[in-house]
């Protein structure tokens, strides 16, 4: 879910993870299934996010991050448009490459992938998108489960 600078991302595989940006705080909660099934929760103030965390800016609608990237490649494959972006030399970012796949016919984002300076890849694949849908404000609030360990950054 994404609306007016607020964000909610629910991931099921490989582990249950929830990311909620409520406008002031970014929450990341992960279920520790390999251990005791408890929740590990991290939180940080939105203002604390470094500019170098450009993917967070991209996802949370901070348009200023785009000035740090340039299009390195643009191609079409399987009814999709694929843009590969690289940071400009002057950019202060930990992202080495960013790739966005769009389906122009459906007007949807297929996935967003990025690679850090150590070539670790992170991909977000979007299965359902509803533009203009009414979203309950409660979707953008988070309260840690009872007994969860909360780490603040």
């Amino acid at each position: 879910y994404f609306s007016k600078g607020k964000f909610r991302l629910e991931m099921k595989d490989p582990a249950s993870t929830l990311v909620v940006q409520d406008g002031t705080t970014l929450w990341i909660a992960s279920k520790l299934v390999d251990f005791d099934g408890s929740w590990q929760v991290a939180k940080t103030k939105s203002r604390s996010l470094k500019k170098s965390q450009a993917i967070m800016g991209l996802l949370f609608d901070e348009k200023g991050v785009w000035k740090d990237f340039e299009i390195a490649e643009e191609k079409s494959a399987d009814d999709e448009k694929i843009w590969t972006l690289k940071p400009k030399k002057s950019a202060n970012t930990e992202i080495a490459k960013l790739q966005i796949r769009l389906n122009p016919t459906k007007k949807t984002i297929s996935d967003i992938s990025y690679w850090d300076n150590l070539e670790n890849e992170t991909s977000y694949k979007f299965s359902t998108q509803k533009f203009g849908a009414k979203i309950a404000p409660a979707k953008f609030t988070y309260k840690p489960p009872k007994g969860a360990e909360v780490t603040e950054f």
Side-chain angles (χ1 to χ4, degrees):
Y1 302 93
F2 180 73
S3 178
K4 299 176 184 165
K6 296 181 180 182
F7 178 81
R8 181 182 181 99
L9 177 64
E10 300 171 11
M11 295 175 275
K12 296 177 181 157
D13 292 319
S16 183
T17 302
L18 174 65
V19 179
V20 177
Q21 161 65 9
D22 63 14
T24 59
T25 304
L26 174 68
W27 295 90
I28 302 171
S30 300
K31 191 165 190 171
L32 303 174
V33 292
D34 292 340
F35 296 103
D36 59 2
S38 65
W39 285 89
Q40 183 177 38
V41 179
K43 75 176 195 174
T44 187
K45 295 290 181 195
S46 299
R47 291 185 305 266
S48 302
L49 295 173
K50 299 186 303 183
K51 186 179 177 189
S52 63
Q53 293 166 311
I55 193 68
M56 292 299 186
L58 169 68
L59 294 174
F60 300 141
D61 200 29
E62 292 180 26
K63 295 172 183 73
V65 300
W66 290 109
K67 69 179 176 33
D68 290 335
F69 289 89
E70 57 192 7
I71 297 174
E73 182 180 24
E74 182 178 347
K75 63 183 179 180
S76 296
D78 300 326
D79 296 327
E80 291 184 323
K81 295 280 188 184
I82 305 165
W83 285 275
T84 302
L85 295 90
K86 298 237 175 168
K88 294 179 180 176
K89 290 187 195 267
S90 61
N92 179 21
T93 181
E94 295 167 8
I95 295 174
K97 181 171 76 170
L98 175 65
Q99 189 173 76
I100 302 170
R101 291 176 170 264
L102 301 173
N103 184 315
T105 306
K106 295 179 182 176
K107 298 182 181 175
T108 57
I109 300 170
S110 302
D111 67 68
I112 298 174
S113 299
Y114 69 94
W115 293 258
D116 66 18
N117 292 324
L118 298 174
E119 298 182 10
N120 296 308
E121 179 183 355
T122 302
S123 294
Y124 296 98
K125 298 191 184 301
F126 301 96
S127 58
T128 305
Q129 298 171 44
K130 295 179 186 174
F131 297 98
K134 300 283 185 203
I135 304 170
K139 283 285 185 191
F140 303 110
T141 60
Y142 179 76
K143 182 179 178 187
K146 187 175 183 177
E149 177 184 336
V150 178
T151 304
E152 191 165 347
F153 295 98

